[in-house]
Amino acid sequence: MMIKKAVLPVAGLGTRMLPITKVVPKELLPVIERPTIEYVIDEAIQSGVNTLVFIISQGKGKIIDYFDIDLNLRSFLKERGKTELLAKVQEVEEKIKHLIEVRQKVPEGLGHAILMAEKAVGNEPFAVLLGDDLVDADPPCLKQMLEVYQNLFSKSSEISLIGVEEVTWENVSKYGIIDGERVGTDLIKVKKVVEKPKPEEAPSNFAIIGRYILNPIVFDYLKRIPKVNGEYQLTDAIQLMIDAGHEVYAYLFKGKRFDTGNKEGFFQTILHYACKDPRLEAVLRSFCQERFGF
């Protein structure tokens, strides 16, 4: 079973990054010279996904515009002989082969956002990538998960796979946390999912990150879950699936994850990717020497 479609829920308001996100979608905030969302899309494309379903809201159309063809800009750069910049622009504009845009009129949580993609996805397994979670990994995180999923699918056609990482116990209340049984070095069969538990109530410190491969049966369960604090949680639907006998596995991916949805995580992301560029790393080293003496 090949995964052909990925859902990108990018309708959130980005309140943790206000005031800049009042006018600029958090997914377009730059990490070096590219917006956050482009790193996520590159991961999907490099993993073999060819159709991207964007769940957007009012004001988020700029994300689609970034990947659209701008003939005026192309003409301007060509006339000025800026061939290198023109090549960069064309690369971005031609990156996504198949793009579907779905409007979420009211922000009602991740579960609701994914449910909005039901018609676009159809009756086939699909990936979900959150736009503010960047994972620097080789091979890409989603590609790792797809390889694991293929092996699991050969044994059962109604499985789902979620990406997880181990976090400190004091941070478990920031994430959906799993409880389960190890069935391999990097694989856990999930028995329970808890949304943002207190540290003393958390069943483990394995946190769900913004990477999923979901069986389309999830749409049926997303329609059954109650709204909690004004939102429909994906973790509630996943728990219903588990309770009904559907197999859900968690994969401990290899790589470094960054949460760009808050100031600290965004800053760490910029520093990390700056260090991957020798020129920028030299600038950073010079700054640290001058500012901190090391």
Side-chain angles (χ1 to χ4, degrees), residues 246-274:
H246 299 282
E247 292 183 305
V248 176
Y249 291 86
Y251 172 67
L252 285 159
F253 71 95
K254 300 175 182 65
K256 178 67 175 176
R257 169 189 166 268
F258 298 92
D259 179 2
T260 64
N262 61 77
K263 283 194 302 183
E264 295 80 5
F266 185 65
F267 183 55
Q268 289 174 355
T269 307
I270 292 175
L271 291 176
H272 174 81
Y273 283 94

Side-chain angles (χ1 to χ4, degrees), residues 61-179:
K62 295 176 182 177
I63 297 173
I64 308 301
D65 293 342
Y66 176 76
F67 295 98
D68 206 353
I69 294 176
D70 188 334
L71 294 177
N72 289 332
L73 178 58
R74 286 191 179 193
S75 178
F76 172 82
L77 294 174
K78 186 176 182 180
E79 290 174 1
R80 297 297 176 93
K82 298 182 181 294
T83 55
E84 186 176 341
L85 290 177
L86 177 60
K88 287 184 177 181
V89 168
Q90 290 176 324
E91 179 188 359
V92 170
E93 295 176 343
E94 297 168 4
K95 184 164 291 194
I96 303 175
K97 302 304 180 184
H98 304 287
L99 186 153
I100 300 173
E101 179 182 341
V102 179
R103 178 65 68 94
Q104 184 187 28
K105 293 184 177 181
V106 181
E108 294 185 308
L110 178 59
H112 181 260
I114 293 174
L115 182 58
M116 297 292 295
E118 182 178 16
K119 289 184 179 179
V121 168
N123 189 33
E124 60 184 273
F126 63 100
V128 176
L129 299 92
L130 301 193
D132 53 7
D133 263 5
L134 265 61
V135 182
D136 187 11
D138 184 18
C141 178
L142 182 60
K143 188 171 184 178
Q144 296 177 39
M145 293 179 63
L146 288 172
E147 291 176 357
V148 173
Y149 179 81
Q150 297 291 348
N151 291 331
L152 293 171
F153 188 87
S154 65
K155 302 173 184 176
S156 173
S157 62
E158 291 193 356
I159 64 159
S160 294
L161 182 66
I162 55 182
V164 296
E165 70 173 351
E166 193 169 5
V167 299
T168 59
W169 283 95
E170 55 265 30
N171 284 324
V172 295
S173 60
K174 300 177 181 178
Y175 302 94
I177 301 295
I178 68 160
D179 184 20

Side-chain angles (χ1 to χ4, degrees), residues 12-26 29 60 260-263:
L13 298 176
T15 54
R16 293 185 295 169
M17 294 293 282
L18 283 169
I20 185 61
T21 47
K22 183 176 183 293
V23 293
V24 179
K26 65 178 181 179
L29 294 177
K60 290 300 190 83
T260 64
N262 61 77
K263 283 194 302 183

Side-chain angles (χ1 to χ4, degrees), residues 178-190:
I178 68 160
D179 184 20
E181 176 186 356
R182 289 261 192 170
V183 292
T185 304
D186 303 315
L187 198 62
I188 301 168
K189 186 172 184 180
V190 182

